[in-house]
Amino acid sequence: TTATQEQGSSLLGIYLAASATDFSSLVKAGFTYNTGKLFPGSDAIQNTYYQKDSIDAIVSSNSNNDFWNLPLTSMQVFCGSSSNSNNENPALPVESYCLTNSCILDSGTPKFILPQAIVNQITSCAETDGSLQIKLVGGELNLALSDLNILAVENWIEDSESNGGVVLLGFPIWLWYYIIFDYGSGVEGQANLTFVNKS
């Protein structure tokens, strides 16, 4: 929150100018200044990346200073177009992961940790079209399977069951979303997170 305090504002936007294809090389080489961009204060909603019509979710979250808790409800993989019901895998409720372990957003971890069933469905889909739909209290996120498979091949996706049951959306989520943190509640460790679709 230091950057926002210096600006006298409760807003902080984080944008990543990168794609799934070059994510691995960027992580291994270290990100350059031009790859990641911070927008403190009013700049968070006054830039070319912020589009109200592209907001997929606004969620209330709290932090323990290491990561942000996410109110996830379910995940569903569509192998092919989501408009074709034949391409649907059953939606997987994930509340139990959140209650017994953690469902978190962590920019400091360069990977996703997802339920094993979801990982299997992502990696077994041979279609070039498709998506992972992540539902939260406050909206839903949609991630292209083509990009997720690139991350999976590079070992940036792991299963929850091998990681203590945690469900984690790490730094790769910024490949799809420009995320704005609003600390305006005045309660330390709490913020509203706005996910703006970059596509």
Side-chain angles (χ1 to χ4, degrees):
T1 59
T2 302
T4 58
Q5 290 169 350
E6 291 175 352
Q7 293 286 325
S9 171
S10 63
L11 300 176
L12 178 66
I14 303 176
Y15 184 88
L16 178 64
S19 66
T21 53
D22 57 18
F23 183 77
S24 281
S25 59
L26 287 170
V27 171
K28 292 172 183 176
F31 289 95
T32 66
Y33 175 79
N34 291 327
T35 304
K37 300 179 181 180
L38 290 179
F39 295 95
S42 60
D43 288 347
I45 57 174
Q46 295 175 359
N47 62 68
T48 57
Y49 308 117
Y50 178 75
Q51 302 291 331
K52 278 189 175 180
D53 294 342
S54 298
I55 294 175
D56 282 357
I58 300 177
V59 303
S60 179
S61 181
N62 57 71
S63 168
N64 72 351
N65 295 321
D66 291 324
F67 51 77
W68 292 92
N69 293 304
L70 288 177
L72 303 180
T73 59
S74 68
M75 294 184 177
Q76 187 170 16
V77 173
F78 295 88
C79 185
S81 172
S82 59
S83 61
N84 185 346
S85 60
N86 293 327
N87 297 328
E88 294 182 18
N89 289 288
L92 177 70
V94 293
E95 293 102 325
S96 60
Y97 288 88
C98 303
L99 291 173
T100 58
N101 296 284
S102 296
C103 294
I104 59 178
L105 173 72
D106 181 9
S107 62
T109 301
K111 65 181 69 173
F112 285 157
I113 300 177
L114 306 172
Q116 182 71 68
I118 296 297
V119 175
N120 291 345
Q121 291 167 12
I122 290 171
T123 55
S124 65
C125 179
E127 298 290 331
T128 56
D129 190 18
S131 64
L132 168 62
Q133 182 184 85
I134 303 173
K135 291 192 175 182
L136 313 92
V137 177
E140 66 181 46
L141 309 179
N142 288 280
L143 315 183
L145 277 191
S146 55
D147 290 334
L148 285 168
N149 273 308
I150 292 172
L151 296 180
V153 168
E154 296 290 335
N155 297 314
W156 298 118
I157 298 180
E158 298 181 2
D159 68 276
S160 300
E161 287 72 8
S162 298
N163 288 275
V166 67
V167 174
L168 182 147
L169 301 184
F171 200 55
I173 193 66
W174 272 269
L175 295 172
W176 289 272
Y177 287 94
Y178 166 50
I179 303 177
I180 301 167
F181 297 80
D182 183 352
Y183 303 94
S185 69
V187 179
E188 185 176 356
Q190 289 189 2
N192 287 329
L193 279 55
T194 299
F195 292 80
V196 183
N197 198 312
K198 291 166 57 179
S199 60

